[in-house]
């Protein structure tokens, strides 16, 4: 993907002239800043980037990027991205969405974009709340969450974005955290270079309506106990002193302390390239406070992309039978010719 | 003509059968869904077209894929009108009806003219099938059919006899009954067998036994005609006076698909057709899915919304994004259509209308989506609306839809319907070199002081179509209100009013380049019949008849519903009265009265079926008091 002779781009080149309008302290600022950094580092010309979004706080994102951008309608961004990528495989297409946009109103499209493996990068800002509509519970809000529309506590079981992405046969599935700057940058970069649909869940703090919901993953005091960094080929170890790990007990994961008869060899070795997403699925079901929550790449496998397969059908058909000409198109089984002399029927009758 | 067929024709002449000449004939094949009536009808219309008649056809199939055999719900029909002069409709009254079972007889007999020929498969009139059709007594025996010229043929038995020595299962043998009866009707109307024989040979090339069986059934039916005492007559419908040229038969859906492929090539662009399967539009998707080597890309989306989303996304990228659906699908697409209105991107929405509301009657035709296309979205949402008048016209008008969409950066509705979609007529094959190119320009340079302004408009108020990937033209579009010129998000009250009016004016400006409304008949007079969409055929036929009776009546067809031709109001005012026949409760009438303050009389029918010529004619007579 990187081309050789490119002007060096800086994050500033990716900043549009529009004032950023998120609330002060919103996690979106960090994601925007890291995204500009990543874009500048990819070696891809700026005009090749397209950011497509739906509706919500996160979906204002394209306005702040000095690239091509399309702020579409609620939940449907993956559909526009699919059409664009099919028409223009040369573009690097990002979809910016949120938990309401991507998993509630747009759940259907998310599933199908991932299933088809369209080469688009979907970044889902998960703040477990509806921000733009001023604080109602979202499909990722935890049970009991009290909001304006759930004053007695939410009674709906939350949906797990990573679990959904895996179930939809996504070829790249990752999670990261808004303020974990290096990890966020690295995760976005890996998504950018993945060939196929990439799904990245970002834990994003909504300062106004759901402040601190991910604090256990960001607070310096406790985060190392609560976050499990996934690394390819490495055992699942976490904890301030890196003395805890995750072991499989039958089909269930369990937290174990290293030493005391448990060695590193007993732990799950992370394999993002596993043919089956079984272990990734197990990891996606690990939630605070019972477990540390895994961040990093859950799954990264190769599969032909939708637009490649589609455009290959066009090429193959042309190769097999030649490029279709209109003259041929108009033929059918039965063509008849009316000669000048034949045009001799009677006039119309009643 | 093959040797056999020639021999048969000679035989018939040698027997000195009486041959009557007819200017036009309407035949309907009706039977159970499994009886192959659609195939028989298609073959009959091909043969008639190839023979040189003008044709117009109307299939009528049940909504259920597999309704119980022999039931009323399972009856499938195919009507063909063929003639020696220009015809516009599949015909009002049926001259000859084929009924393969009691249910087909029951549901179709009311359309057969008095004295009409009624060919029935007498073998199918068993007690159980009579019961399924709700007959208490056998109509073939109880005298209830004496108004008609009943030709009861033991088709099952004769067909089995003709194929007795072939190694086929009884089921396979019985499946050839449609060709037996087709052969018989071919004989009756002196149709050439060649096109059908050729079709059978191609279709069953890999299955010689079935090929032989179908050929034999067809010929056996044809020969059987010779022996028929009930029918001592054959009919001859001479060739029609048709403009010289090359022709093929085409349905509205085929013409739409072909037009789309053509538009793609004329524009030098990839056609990206995105659709979710829905009756009666799915055939467009099927046809286009086979067109990969014409550079056509199809996406079967996960739902109606995704279909238009992908189409708009493709347009954003510089392809021709098109989506096809029917009314229920249009409901779901409304929000995305509005996004294209706001973002000012081209997209064509094909609405193959069907009887609504809600799921309605999926296989039946109606014209009740017009106001939805014009107004069925939030906010001020101007879109272009076009409607083809006939199956073949779908070709030219869908190309026009694409041209307007890309040239004005706007969504365009193309209002077909179930009747246009499935009925067929001859199509003069266009000369490729005579089709006008669709010119499209994409900017490559900034348009204001080294900056790119995505909403800086040309004299027609059209904004530039700048494509992602173009260096230096990076810009953002979206559904939020924009500041004119810069395209930046703006909540400024005066800017909003300016933009609302500008988007409306841009679409209105199209009236500057579309053809004026023309009339068929006197330029002024007692009555103007004005219409849109598929009712054209019946209306022209009725108006021509009225004119021959000396009535002062003209008709006009609106192909552009938004904007309308500039002279529309003036044309309406040239007549004492205005009649608006529609397959709805008065959509166009409401528009015309509202826009031009001309009183209009409606003729409205919502039965899921097209107008009969006679229905229009009667109304004309009533209005003119003759
Ligand atoms: S409402 Fe929440 S998510 Fe939205 S901008 Fe404000 S802080 Fe961010």
């Amino acid at each position: 993907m990187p081309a050789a002779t490119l002007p060096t781009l800086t994050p500033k080149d990716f900043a549009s002239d529009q004032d950023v309008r998120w609330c002060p302290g919103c996690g979106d600022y960090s994601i925007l800043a890291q995204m500009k950094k990543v874009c500048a580092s990819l070696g891809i010309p700026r005009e090749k980037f397209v950011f497509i979004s739906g509706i919500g706080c996160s979906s204002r994102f394209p306005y702040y990027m000095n690239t091509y951008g399309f702020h579409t309608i609620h939940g449907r961004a993956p559909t526009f991205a699919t059409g664009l990528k099919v028409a223009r495989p040369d573009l690097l297409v990002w979809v910016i969405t949120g938990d309401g946009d991507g998993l509630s109103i747009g759940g259907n499209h998310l599933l199908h974009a991932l299933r088809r493996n369209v080469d688009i990068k979907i970044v889902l800002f998960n703040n477990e709340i509806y921000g733009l509509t001023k604080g109602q519970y979202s499909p990722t809000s935890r049970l009991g969450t009290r909001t304006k529309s759930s004053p007695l506590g939410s009674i709906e079981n939350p949906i797990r974005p990573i679990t959904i992405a895996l179930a939809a046969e996504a070829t790249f599935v990752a999670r990261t955290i808004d303020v974990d700057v290096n990890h966020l940058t690295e995760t976005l970069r890996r998504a950018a270079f993945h060939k196929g649909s990439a799904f990245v869940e970002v834990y994003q703090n909504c300062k106004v309506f759901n402040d601190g919901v991910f604090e256990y993953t960001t607070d310096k005091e406790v985060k190392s106990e609560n976050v499990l960094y996934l690394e390819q080929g490495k055992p699942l170890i976490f904890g301030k002193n890196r003395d805890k790990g995750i072991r499989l007990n039958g089909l269930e994961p369990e937290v174990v302390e290293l030493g005391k008869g448990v060695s590193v060899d007993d732990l799950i070795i992370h394999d993002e390239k596993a043919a089956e997403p079984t272990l990734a699925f197990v990891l996606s079901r690990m939630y605070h406070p019972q477990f540390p929550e895994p961040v990093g790449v859950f799954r990264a496998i190769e599969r032909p992309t939708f637009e490649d397969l589609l455009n290959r059908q066009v090429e193959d058909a042309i190769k097999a039978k030649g490029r279709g000409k209109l003259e041929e198109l108009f033929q059918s089984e039965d063509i008849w010719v009316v000669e000048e002399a034949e045009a001799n029927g009677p006039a119309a009758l009643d | 003509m093959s040797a056999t067929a020639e021999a048969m024709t000679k035989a018939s002449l040698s027997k000195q059968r009486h041959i009557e000449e007819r200017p036009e004939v309407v035949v309907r094949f009706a039977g159970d869904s499994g009886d192959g009536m659609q195939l028989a009808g298609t073959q009959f219309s091909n043969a008639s077209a190839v023979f040189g008649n003008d044709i117009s056809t109307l299939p009528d199939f049940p909504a259920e894929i597999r309704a119980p055999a022999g039931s009323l719900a399972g009856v499938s029909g195919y009507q063909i009108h063929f003639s020696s002069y220009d015809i516009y409709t599949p015909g009002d009254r049926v001259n000859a009806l084929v009924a393969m079972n009691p249910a087909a007889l029951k549901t179709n007999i009311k359309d057969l003219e008095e004295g009409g020929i009624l060919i029935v498969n007498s073998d199918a009139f068993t007690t159980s099938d009579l019961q399924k059709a709700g007959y208490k007594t056998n109509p073939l025996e109880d005298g209830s059919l004496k108004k008609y010229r009943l030709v009861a043929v033991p088709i099952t038995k004769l067909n089995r006899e003709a194929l007795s020595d072939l190694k086929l299962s009884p089921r396979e043998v019985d499946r050839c009954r449609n060709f037996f009866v087709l052969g018989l009707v071919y004989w009756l109307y002196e149709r050439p067998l060649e096109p059908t024989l050729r079709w059978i040979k191609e279709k069953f090339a890999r299955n010689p036994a079935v090929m032989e069986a179908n050929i034999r059934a067809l010929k056996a039916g044809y020969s059987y005609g010779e022996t028929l005492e009930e029918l001592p007559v054959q009919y001859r419908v001479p060739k029609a006076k048709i403009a010289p040229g090359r022709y093929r038969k085409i349905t509205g859906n085929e013409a739409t698909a072909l037009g789309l492929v053509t538009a793609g090539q004329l524009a030098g662009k990839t056609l990206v057709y995105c659709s979710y399967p829905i009756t009666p539009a799915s055939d467009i998707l099927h046809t286009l899915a086979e067109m990969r080597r014409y550079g056509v890309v199809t996406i079967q989306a996960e739902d109606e919304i995704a279909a238009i989303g992908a189409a708009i996304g493709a347009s954003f990228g510089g392809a021709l994004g098109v989506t096809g659906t029917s009314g229920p699908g249009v409901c779901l697409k409304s929000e995305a259509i509005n996004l294209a209105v706001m973002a000012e991107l081209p997209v064509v929405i094909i609405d193959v209308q069907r009887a609504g509301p809600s799921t309605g009657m999926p296989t039946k035709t109606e014209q009740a989506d017009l106001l939805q296309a014009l107004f069925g979205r939030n906010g001020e949402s101007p879109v272009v609306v076009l409607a083809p008048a006939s199956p073949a016209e779908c070709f030219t008008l869908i190309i026009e839809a694409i041209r307007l969409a890309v040239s004005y950066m706007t969504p365009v509705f193309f209002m077909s319907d179930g009747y246009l979609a499935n009925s067929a007529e001859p199509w003069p094959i266009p000369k490729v070199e005579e089709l006008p190119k669709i010119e499209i320009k994409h900017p490559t340079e900034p348009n204001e002081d080294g900056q790119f302004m995505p909403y800086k408009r040309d004299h027609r108020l059209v904004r530039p179509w700048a494509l992602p990937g173009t260096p230096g033209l990076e810009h953002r579009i979206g559904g939020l209100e924009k500041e004119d010129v810069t395209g930046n998000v703006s909540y400024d009250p005066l800017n909003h009013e300016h933009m609302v009016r500008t988007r409306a004016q841009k679409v209105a400006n199209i009236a500057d380049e579309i053809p004026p409304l023309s009339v068929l008949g006197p330029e002024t007079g007692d009555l103007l019949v004005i219409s849109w969409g598929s009712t054209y055929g019946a209306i022209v036929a009725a108006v021509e008849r009225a004119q021959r009776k000396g009535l002062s009546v003209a008709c006009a067809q609106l192909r552009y519903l938004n904007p309308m031709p500039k002279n529309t109001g003036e044309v309406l005012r040239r007549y004492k009265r205005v009649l608006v026949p529609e397959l709805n409760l008065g959509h166009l009438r409401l528009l015309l009265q509202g826009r031009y303050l001309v009183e209009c009389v409606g003729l409205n029918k919502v039965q899921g079926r097209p107008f009969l010529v006679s229905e229009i004619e009667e109304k004309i007579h009533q209005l003119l008091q003759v």
Side-chain angles (χ1 to χ4, degrees), chain A residues 244-267:
Chain A
K244 292 184 201 144
I246 305 294
R247 178 172 76 176
L248 263 191
N249 180 4
L251 291 175
E252 307 291 334
E254 60 180 7
V255 174
V256 289
E257 289 191 28
L258 291 170
K260 299 178 193 164
V262 180
S263 86
V264 168
D265 295 343
D266 297 322
L267 304 183

Side-chain angles (χ1 to χ4, degrees), chain A residues 21-28 57 127 129 131-132 204-209:
Chain A
R21 294 258 176 90
W22 289 310
C23 310
C26 176
D28 292 0
C57 290
N127 55 16
I129 200 81
L132 194 66
Q204 177 244 322
N205 189 42
C206 170
K207 183 82 183 156
V208 175
F209 297 109

Side-chain angles (χ1 to χ4, degrees), chain A residues 41 54 58 106 132 145 204 207 239 253 256 290 316-317 319 337 342:
Chain A
S41 74
S58 60
L132 194 66
T145 303
Q204 177 244 322
K207 183 82 183 156
V256 289
Q290 205 192 338
D316 288 352
K319 225 179 274 166
V337 178
E342 274 185 81

Side-chain angles (χ1 to χ4, degrees), chain A residues 7-44:
Chain A
T8 327
L9 292 165
T10 65
K12 252 186 99 181
D13 293 317
F14 283 88
S16 78
D17 59 356
Q18 297 297 294
D19 296 334
V20 182
R21 294 258 176 90
W22 289 310
C23 310
C26 176
D28 292 0
Y29 283 97
S30 169
I31 307 175
L32 178 63
Q34 306 330 312
M35 181 63 90
K36 287 185 211 154
K37 225 194 280 172
V38 169
C39 288
S41 74
L42 292 175
I44 297 169

